[in-house]
Amino acid sequence: MATTIHTIERKPQLVGEQPPPLLLMLHGYGSNERDLFDLAEYVDPRLHILSARAPLHLSWGGFAWYHLSGTPGRLIPDTVSRAEALALLDRFVASLPERLGSDPRRTYMLGFSQGAIMSLALAMNRPELIAGVIALSGYLDPALVPATRSPALTGLPIIQMHGTYDEIIPVAAAHQTQEVLKGLPVRHSYHEYPVGHT
């Protein structure tokens, strides 16, 4: 696993208040940092946008945050590489405000699939690092929710979106995430769409 995270960025297009808020994008399994970057044109131009490449280079091409086994619809995460990726992401996100000059109180995360899983995991474990999460086609593994809750979790906004026809991460996993988040002091909203894993 790589020990650094490669990124591409779009600096704020409007000069507003300084330091600017930051949106960090995390792609899914087998993709790369360019996958979500086109969404930047739809995002508030005051945001500094950073899209990160996952640290594992897959043998057949593309990148991943951690290894998977199983089959689509029944994927099994490798807990060792997932823990390593979460620790790397923690250090990376913590370093961003000083490195980029962004507002440390306004780092937002947008993740798709495995990137959504990583975003939700970081929110549970280090909510003081982030101001909100948009989780697309992912889920929260209850094993990644720490027994002791940080006060910073209170009021953390989380938007979760999932396709009802998702064949990779079934919508049932999103429903289970809803149930977990209902028991936490976050501000959670959930949206379903008649689409697949997209």
Side-chain angles (χ1 to χ4, degrees), residues 113-137:
S113 191
Q114 201 178 66
I117 296 166
M118 295 298 295
S119 298
L120 289 168
L122 188 65
M124 295 299 107
N125 288 276
R126 293 274 278 158
E128 64 276 13
L129 293 180
I130 55 178
V133 173
I134 301 170
L136 310 175
S137 305

Side-chain angles (χ1 to χ4, degrees), residues 1-5 55 88 91:
M1 178 179 287
T3 56
T4 58
I5 294 178
L88 176 62
R91 294 189 302 273

Side-chain angles (χ1 to χ4, degrees), residues 41-125:
E41 67 179 283
Y42 302 105
V43 176
D44 191 317
R46 292 171 295 181
L47 282 162
H48 192 138
I49 297 174
L50 202 67
S51 189
R53 179 194 297 165
L56 287 174
H57 189 202
L58 301 172
S59 60
W60 47 269
F63 297 85
W65 294 97
Y66 52 87
H67 294 294
L68 291 170
S69 59
T71 58
R74 293 178 183 231
L75 295 169
I76 302 164
D78 172 65
T79 56
V80 173
S81 59
R82 184 174 66 180
E84 290 172 351
L86 187 55
L88 176 62
L89 186 62
D90 184 315
R91 294 189 302 273
F92 174 72
V93 172
S95 74
L96 291 177
E98 183 176 353
R99 196 180 90 185
L100 300 175
S102 60
D103 186 342
R105 296 160 303 169
R106 294 189 295 165
T107 297
Y108 300 91
M109 299 186 73
L110 183 152
F112 173 72
S113 191
Q114 201 178 66
I117 296 166
M118 295 298 295
S119 298
L120 289 168
L122 188 65
M124 295 299 107
N125 288 276

Side-chain angles (χ1 to χ4, degrees), residues 6 123 147 150 157 167 172 190:
H6 175 77
S150 166
E167 70 288 2
Y190 178 78

